[in-house]
Amino acid sequence: MDDRATPDRLRKLPSRLLVRTASHADRLVSEALATESARKWHFVVLVALTEAGPASQSALSTRTGIFRSDMVAVINDLADRGLVERAPDPDDRRRNVITVTARGRAYLRRLDDIIDTAQEDLLAPLNEAERGQLTSLLTRLLDHHAKAAPHGGR
């Protein structure tokens, strides 16, 4: 869409700018991850498991913001590729604990490089200070709205 034809009043709306930028960022990241046959949720789950350790599917849903109903499919995809393992929880045999495998950690390192490149592409017009400021401001907005609607921020 050519924004030059958009009325100035619309071009300056912060909510519109956020949505359009988020859409562009989502496309950049999705296309980049697809080069490694990955999706955003694959990356998110692997990061959560790597940084916070093994977890039940329910705990992963809470950590990542992925709906529980969608988490099963994500875990199935990752398990089918040998990137995570499912094992019965020794404390509650009714649930599984998900653990990232060595293969999953290696895969995540490749995805990290891809994500870094996508972030560089997204933020190309900004210098380091501006990137830090943007991240800080977006974090502040997200934190504020997450507190106001704790379950609506998925």
Side-chain angles (χ1 to χ4, degrees), residues 29-111:
V29 168
S30 293
E31 288 175 359
L33 289 172
T35 65
E36 281 290 328
S37 301
R39 295 191 330 260
K40 290 177 295 184
W41 294 138
H42 295 149
F43 176 74
V44 168
V45 167
L46 290 172
V47 168
L49 289 170
T50 300
E51 292 194 3
S56 68
Q57 289 177 188
S58 177
L60 275 175
S61 177
T62 301
R63 280 184 199 170
T64 62
I66 299 172
F67 290 112
R68 289 180 187 187
S69 56
D70 296 330
M71 183 60 74
V72 174
V74 174
I75 298 301
N76 286 344
D77 287 349
L78 294 171
D80 289 347
R81 295 168 67 182
L83 304 173
V84 299
E85 291 177 341
R86 261 190 206 106
D89 185 335
D91 297 328
D92 183 352
R93 309 284 286 161
R94 294 171 295 173
R95 70 179 177 193
N96 289 316
V97 173
I98 312 304
T99 306
V100 67
T101 63
R103 183 175 178 181
R105 284 188 293 279
Y107 187 65
L108 179 58
R109 285 191 292 276
R110 289 197 311 273
L111 297 183

